[in-house]
Amino acid sequence: MYQLDATKSTQLAKKLGGPPVFHDGFLRRIILEKERAVLEIEILSDVNPRLEKDTVVKLILFEVGAFSFAAKDFSKERFVIHDLEFRREDEGIRLCFESARGEKGEIVFQAIELEEVDRT
């Protein structure tokens, strides 16, 4: 699922008139804190007709209960998002993601917010 149903009620999705599509975007950074994770993602305007230009967003995941991620050397190549999917499960919401190189990760959390990164 490339359009993320879990993000429909977020502030950015309301501003855009619907959730953005993350397929073929780039994972720029993951920030892990005590109980939240922030994924900074560049979403591409060519697969998002609501966007005038490529846009960097923060996918903020609250009350993180589990995290698993494996990747090759980040310093040489960008993590191109091939698939990003949310599933509601008994323990919360599970975000599963996969790169174009087949690298996979997942995060289990309870709540989500999506916001645009201010580049001014």
Side-chain angles (χ1 to χ4, degrees), residues 50-107:
R50 296 180 187 106
L51 298 175
E52 295 177 12
K53 60 182 177 150
D54 295 353
T55 304
V56 177
V57 299
K58 287 183 180 178
L59 191 60
I60 305 167
L61 313 176
F62 298 96
E63 298 180 52
V64 173
F67 179 87
S68 170
F69 185 74
K72 296 177 183 172
D73 189 359
F74 265 110
S75 64
K76 294 182 181 176
E77 297 182 43
R78 298 177 92 179
F79 187 98
V80 179
I81 298 169
H82 172 69
D83 193 7
L84 192 65
E85 177 182 0
F86 286 92
R87 293 191 303 257
R88 187 167 297 281
E89 298 181 349
D90 291 339
E91 68 268 12
I93 303 169
R94 181 177 303 272
L95 165 62
C96 299
F97 50 97
E98 181 179 353
S99 78
R101 295 185 300 263
E103 301 155 334
K104 296 182 180 184
E106 66 180 32
I107 304 173

Side-chain angles (χ1 to χ4, degrees):
M1 170 182 1
Y2 300 132
Q3 276 199 350
L4 308 178
D5 290 337
T7 64
K8 283 184 180 177
S9 63
T10 64
Q11 185 179 26
L12 181 60
K14 289 176 183 176
K15 176 182 170 185
L16 294 176
V21 179
F22 290 86
H23 179 65
D24 288 338
F26 302 100
L27 179 61
R28 297 170 59 121
R29 175 175 25 190
I30 297 176
I31 302 165
L32 293 174
E33 297 175 346
K34 186 174 182 179
E35 290 188 2
R36 80 176 196 166
V38 179
L39 283 71
E40 192 172 287
I41 299 173
E42 183 176 345
I43 54 179
L44 305 177
S45 58
D46 61 344
V47 294
N48 287 275
R50 296 180 187 106
L51 298 175
E52 295 177 12
K53 60 182 177 150
D54 295 353
T55 304
V56 177
V57 299
K58 287 183 180 178
L59 191 60
I60 305 167
L61 313 176
F62 298 96
E63 298 180 52
V64 173
F67 179 87
S68 170
F69 185 74
K72 296 177 183 172
D73 189 359
F74 265 110
S75 64
K76 294 182 181 176
E77 297 182 43
R78 298 177 92 179
F79 187 98
V80 179
I81 298 169
H82 172 69
D83 193 7
L84 192 65
E85 177 182 0
F86 286 92
R87 293 191 303 257
R88 187 167 297 281
E89 298 181 349
D90 291 339
E91 68 268 12
I93 303 169
R94 181 177 303 272
L95 165 62
C96 299
F97 50 97
E98 181 179 353
S99 78
R101 295 185 300 263
E103 301 155 334
K104 296 182 180 184
E106 66 180 32
I107 304 173
V108 177
F109 58 97
Q110 299 300 316
I112 186 170
E113 183 54 59
L114 179 65
E115 62 185 47
E116 188 173 354
V117 174
D118 184 16
R119 293 289 183 196
T120 57

